[in-house]
């Protein structure tokens, strides 16, 4: 295709994504209350474990309530339509890939999607404890005012960090398939990788409590072990396919 054809295709796909996002945003406005309960739930659970009157949710300015509606429904529409716009991105790139690259990209989508979902669910489960720890740092007599728009950013950032953290083993396997990292190298540096995972979990989680950090780091370590096993298996498979693999230097090859 000529460059102009690629640009026209890109424009068509962008317009489709924008149209679907706008329609979904309008539809999500009618489901604001369930969405609000879902997002506000972790804060309510955290507030129930704290002394009465120690925290209060607020909005700022005359348009705070309207921005709450738009941001919350916009986040929901972006999340709901993610399969559609991710497919549009993939479909735009797909014609430029080789057959084996297409196969690995499909496998990546099949594996990465449920891992990301598991990470998001785990982040949602641990969020109340993280909020409880953060709010509890306020001295007695100080009321913690949680501005809801900032809380929504905190909420989305936490879920996104957990979701992306669970994608790290997928990228490790992709690096191994590309020949950049070997399974033996992963085994040699396993201890340092585990330390790095815990440091990453401590820095990435918005809260500072060890509970949330451990809930992120332990599954990541397990996923890393699985990715190391897959990398070692793939290295052995590659070695078995090489011509003359397993022959001594003095033994002639079939060629």
């Amino acid at each position: 295709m000529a460059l102009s054809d690629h640009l026209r295709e890109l424009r068509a796909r962008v317009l489709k994504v924008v149209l679907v996002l706008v329609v979904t945003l309008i539809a999500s406005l009618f489901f604001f209350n369930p969405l609000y309960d879902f997002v506000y739930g972790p804060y309510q659970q955290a507030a129930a474990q704290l002394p009465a009157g120690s925290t209060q949710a607020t909005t700022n300015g005359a348009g705070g309530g309207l921005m709450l509606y738009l941001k919350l429904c916009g986040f929901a529409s972006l999340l709901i339509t993610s399969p559609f716009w991710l497919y549009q991105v993939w479909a735009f790139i797909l014609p430029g890939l080789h057959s084996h690259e297409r196969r690995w990209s499909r496998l990546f989508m099949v594996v990465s999607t449920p891992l990301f979902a598991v990470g998001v669910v785990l982040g949602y489960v641990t969020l109340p404890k993280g909020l409880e720890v953060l709010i509890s740092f306020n001295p007695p007599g100080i009321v913690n005012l949680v501005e809801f728009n900032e809380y929504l950013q905190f909420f989305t950032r936490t879920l996104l960090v957990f979701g992306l953290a669970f994608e790290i083993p997928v990228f490790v396997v992709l690096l191994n398939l590309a020949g950049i990292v070997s399974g033996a190298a992963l085994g040699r540096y396993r201890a340092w990788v585990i330390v790095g995972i815990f440091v990453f979990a401590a820095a990435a989680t918005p809260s500072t409590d060890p509970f949330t950090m451990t809930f992120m780091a332990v599954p990541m370590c397990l996923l890393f072990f699985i990715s190391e096993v897959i990398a070692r298996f793939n290295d052995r498979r590659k070695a078995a396919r090489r011509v003359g693999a397993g022959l001594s230097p003095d033994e002639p090859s079939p060629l």
Side-chain angles (χ1 to χ4, degrees):
M1 293 173 62
L3 178 60
S4 58
D5 294 331
H6 283 292
L7 293 177
R8 278 193 289 269
E9 181 189 1
L10 177 62
R11 181 184 61 185
R13 295 190 181 278
V14 170
L15 289 176
K16 289 179 183 178
V17 171
V18 171
L19 178 61
V20 171
L21 281 173
V22 171
V23 172
T24 310
L25 173 62
I26 296 173
S28 62
L29 291 173
F30 295 95
F31 298 93
F32 174 79
N33 290 333
L35 292 173
Y36 174 77
D37 293 338
F38 174 77
V39 174
Y40 194 50
Y43 172 78
Q44 290 179 312
Q45 295 179 35
Q49 303 299 321
L50 295 168
S54 59
T55 182
Q56 182 179 354
T58 64
T59 58
N60 289 334
L66 177 61
M67 293 304 300
L68 190 155
Y69 265 82
L70 295 178
K71 285 186 176 181
L72 182 55
C73 294
F75 167 72
S77 63
L78 190 65
L79 183 63
I80 293 171
T81 60
S82 58
F84 177 79
W85 55 261
L86 284 174
Y87 169 77
Q88 295 298 323
V89 173
W90 183 71
F92 180 75
I93 299 173
L94 185 64
L97 300 179
H98 297 291
S99 58
H100 67 282
E101 293 173 336
R102 296 182 184 183
R103 184 174 64 253
W104 288 120
S105 65
R106 292 189 183 97
L107 181 61
F108 172 77
M109 292 295 294
V110 170
V111 175
S112 62
T113 301
L115 283 178
F116 185 84
V118 170
V120 169
V121 171
L122 189 59
Y124 185 83
V125 171
T126 59
L127 186 58
K129 185 63 178 180
L131 287 169
E132 178 185 346
V133 172
L134 289 174
I135 297 175
S136 64
F137 280 107
N138 285 279
I142 301 296
V143 178
N144 180 267
L145 299 179
V146 177
E147 208 279 321
F148 194 87
N149 290 317
E150 294 182 1
Y151 167 73
L152 182 60
Q153 296 177 6
F154 179 87
F155 178 88
T156 54
R157 186 169 65 247
T158 301
L159 300 192
L160 183 62
V161 165
F162 269 84
L164 292 178
F166 276 61
E167 299 295 327
I168 292 178
V170 178
F171 289 107
V172 172
V173 173
L174 290 178
L175 291 175
N176 174 258
L177 292 173
I180 300 174
V181 176
S182 66
L186 294 175
R188 284 196 305 269
Y189 296 101
R190 186 186 303 122
W192 290 105
V193 171
I194 294 174
V195 173
I197 287 174
F198 275 88
V199 172
F200 169 81
T205 49
S207 61
T208 56
D209 63 294
F211 176 82
T212 306
M213 179 194 72
T214 305
F215 257 79
M216 175 184 284
V218 171
M220 285 182 63
C221 290
L222 294 177
L223 291 172
F224 172 77
F225 294 150
I226 295 173
S227 64
E228 180 185 341
V229 172
I230 295 174
R232 289 182 181 273
F233 173 78
N234 184 56
D235 290 343
R236 288 196 295 268
R237 183 178 59 84
K238 287 182 179 179
R241 289 184 175 182
R242 296 193 189 102
V243 177
L247 298 178
S248 67
D250 299 327
E251 185 178 353
S253 72
L255 299 178

